[in-house]
Amino acid sequence: MRHLLNRRSTLALLAACGSRFILSDAQAAIVARDQPSSPFVRRVVRGPTNSYSTYPHANGFLPDGRCLVARPSTVRGRAGLDYLAIDFSSGDLEPMASVAAARTYFAVSENGLLAIPKTFGAALIDLKSPRRTEKQILSEPGWTVAQDLDISPDGSKILVARSHYAKPQGFEAATIATADGTLDRILHPSWQIDHAHFSPYAPSWICYAQNVRPPQRSTHRMWVWNARNAPNGRNIFDQVTDDGKTYVVSHERAMFHKAALLTIAHGSSAATPRGLYEVGFDGQRRLISESNRDFHCNISRDGRWAVVSLQGSADDQVSGVSAAFRGIQTPARPPSGWLTETGAGAFDISDIQLVDIQTGKRAFLFRATNAVSGQPYEVQPAISPDGKWVVFKDARARCAMALEIDQGALNRFLGA
């Protein structure tokens, strides 16, 4: 691997939105000297200081392939976010919009509509428009919108999970028509909805999770909804095994090439095997690759490969436990409270691995760092639409970063 980051960092964005900047060489980002190398990584590029990419189940890429990141700022005297488009290949940086009172994450449609969560509603910006005017598309005080909303690939609908905390308490998932703001309440469970997103393969299907906060754990976390085939929702992962042991699953992401999700069975699960799973909308599941440290996951558009971030490093190998993966070496389970404050700051190691979807083979990509405080600097890798970049957040660097993937090495790995 070429150890030095692309020697670019950000200058202050002092001009009006729509101007273009080149990331400056004034401050070179530094990779730790003990950073292991990877034959799959051509170079590592650092984004603007304090920037971060969006949540893994939402699309964060513009129609032209650039990556959209957010950065906290003051907008018209209020806390808000700047949205910046980065071309990681060239280093071009373009301010796209600034929005007051925006919540943490965002989603971009394939035709360039930006959906932004607000505390009690949502906003929409057409990034293709020269003016990029913010349009408040939903405002309903009392109904708190989750920060990880989604937008359909064609941009026709925004999906929000909402909670009414005051009595009468209520929880729902709803879609908002981007054309006229029509609100359609599609789900009303007795529990809080989390991680709601459209299936990019079949957008009439919505994927979501039952949110149960620790120390309790949901045994019915993964759900899908379809107006015709699952109008009341369908639980698709039976987390309790025949011997009474339980899987702890989370961080689901709908696949692009089939009606299925990628998900993690965590190392804290009593049930085995743990690791990266494929789960169909019909409830059929397959272990893709065994691991005791998987944390977040994402998948390529063609469905050939995935990326996972780990709870800790990929070191401390132990023998696999499943018959299907007998002999494959997997990391030991992370200790309880694996994220601890280190001497270098409030972060700890979270290695990123490449996974062959068909064979379950793994390879090391990068030693990133995960924030002890969590959002938005959990590593949470994502693969660019063209498969040439893996984008993630790094807590030590405190910015969005990207790995340029060597396509020859990747194809040899997937074809071996």
Side-chain angles (χ1 to χ4, degrees), residues 111 113 115 124 135 137 151-152 154-158 175-182:
N111 54 357
L113 298 181
L124 183 71
K135 175 184 177 182
I137 199 165
I151 189 168
S152 60
D154 66 1
S156 64
K157 295 179 180 180
I158 294 173
T175 61
I176 311 161
T178 57
D180 59 11
T182 300

Side-chain angles (χ1 to χ4, degrees), residues 162-224:
R162 306 203 302 167
S163 301
H164 194 278
Y165 295 110
K167 294 182 179 179
Q169 192 176 69
F171 307 103
E172 70 176 30
T175 61
I176 311 161
T178 57
D180 59 11
T182 300
L183 185 70
D184 183 11
R185 295 175 167 90
I186 61 174
L187 282 165
H188 305 272
S190 60
W191 34 263
Q192 189 177 53
I193 294 173
D194 196 10
H195 290 206
H197 61 290
F198 292 100
S199 161
Y201 174 77
S204 64
W205 287 85
I206 285 171
C207 311
Y208 61 104
Q210 183 183 51
N211 186 17
V212 177
R213 297 189 181 279
Q216 295 180 332
R217 293 286 188 181
S218 171
T219 57
H220 297 85
R221 177 179 168 86
M222 291 180 62
W223 294 74
V224 293

Side-chain angles (χ1 to χ4, degrees), residues 266-339:
H266 291 277
S268 54
S269 301
T272 58
R274 312 173 188 98
L276 188 65
Y277 276 83
E278 173 186 316
V279 185
F281 293 174
D282 60 0
Q284 295 294 311
R285 69 175 186 250
R286 175 179 74 93
L287 176 66
I288 295 172
S289 182
E290 185 174 0
S291 171
N292 292 315
R293 290 191 178 180
D294 287 353
F295 194 38
H296 282 93
C297 59
N298 223 311
I299 189 169
S300 63
R301 267 43 173 191
D302 61 11
R304 296 176 65 205
W305 58 290
V307 284
V308 292
S309 61
L310 302 185
Q311 292 177 289
S313 75
D315 303 331
D316 304 320
Q317 303 294 314
V318 297
S319 295
V321 297
S322 71
F325 290 86
R326 187 72 66 193
I328 287 182
Q329 297 293 299
T330 62
R333 295 168 74 177
S336 177
W338 67 279
L339 271 176

Side-chain angles (χ1 to χ4, degrees), residues 88-125:
F88 282 113
S89 295
S90 66
D92 285 350
L93 176 68
E94 182 183 6
M96 301 298 286
S98 296
V99 176
R103 300 205 72 190
T104 307
Y105 292 115
F106 55 90
V108 183
S109 68
E110 291 178 352
N111 54 357
L113 298 181
L114 170 63
I116 301 164
K118 300 290 190 82
T119 301
F120 298 124
L124 183 71
I125 297 177

